[in-house]
Amino acid sequence: MKALPDAVFVGPQISASQVYTLAEQGVLSLINNRPDMEGPMQPPSADIAEQAEAHGMGYAYIPMAGGLTPELIEATLKAYETMPRPIYTFCLSGMRSTALWCFAHVEKYGVDGVLDAAAEAGYSLEQLRGGLSQFLESRSST
């Protein structure tokens, strides 16, 4: 689990049994960015959602199967605006989850800020610089 600003942690796929451990560590919400059936032995989203509910945690399933889309970014923005923190967000390695976190937080931290935070967490996402800049510009013009 690696820390991002605003009480967000990112990392790899978890099992349904690990939800208890995260709840014990104080995590209040989970964001699952890994599509179901992406890999062998991967727990279904429904199993993780069931455990999150059993432990009183918020849960959002926002699978990212291909590239970034406006719908994915909007769903991620909504999750970060409404879910109690601390939040653990995950995918296979944490890379997609970190990319979505960057888009959800670029208005607050700026392009350099989110890319620096991602790098400090171990995720080099410099390739997103142009997209983040365009997204930020589109948000400020509305």
Side-chain angles (χ1 to χ4, degrees):
M1 213 166 51
K2 299 179 181 183
L4 293 168
D6 285 346
V8 175
F9 298 91
V10 64
Q13 174 74 57
I14 59 170
S15 67
S17 63
Q18 288 172 306
V19 173
Y20 169 79
T21 303
L22 290 169
E24 287 292 305
Q25 292 173 343
V27 172
L28 298 178
S29 300
L30 302 172
I31 299 175
N32 180 354
N33 297 126
R34 189 162 187 213
D36 277 344
M37 300 176 62
E38 185 177 52
M41 311 271 294
Q42 173 188 348
S45 174
D47 289 358
I48 296 170
E50 182 180 310
Q51 287 301 307
E53 184 178 336
H55 295 292
M57 300 169 80
Y59 182 79
Y61 180 54
I62 308 170
M64 183 175 167
L68 290 161
T69 65
E71 295 79 19
L72 274 173
I73 294 169
E74 287 303 317
T76 302
L77 281 164
K78 183 177 179 180
Y80 280 115
E81 288 170 359
T82 61
M83 297 181 85
R85 293 170 193 252
I87 296 171
Y88 179 72
T89 183
F90 64 93
C91 55
L92 178 60
S93 69
M95 182 77 75
R96 288 174 283 188
S97 296
T98 303
L100 287 166
W101 176 89
C102 286
F103 278 89
H105 291 84
V106 70
E107 287 184 90
K108 182 174 184 178
Y109 295 109
V111 174
D112 289 335
V114 295
L115 291 176
D116 288 348
E120 286 178 30
Y123 299 99
S124 176
L125 295 172
E126 190 61 36
Q127 72 275 17
L128 295 180
R129 181 174 292 280
L132 287 163
S133 295
Q134 289 176 347
F135 179 73
L136 185 57
E137 188 175 304
S138 73
R139 300 287 286 186
S140 64
S141 66
T142 55

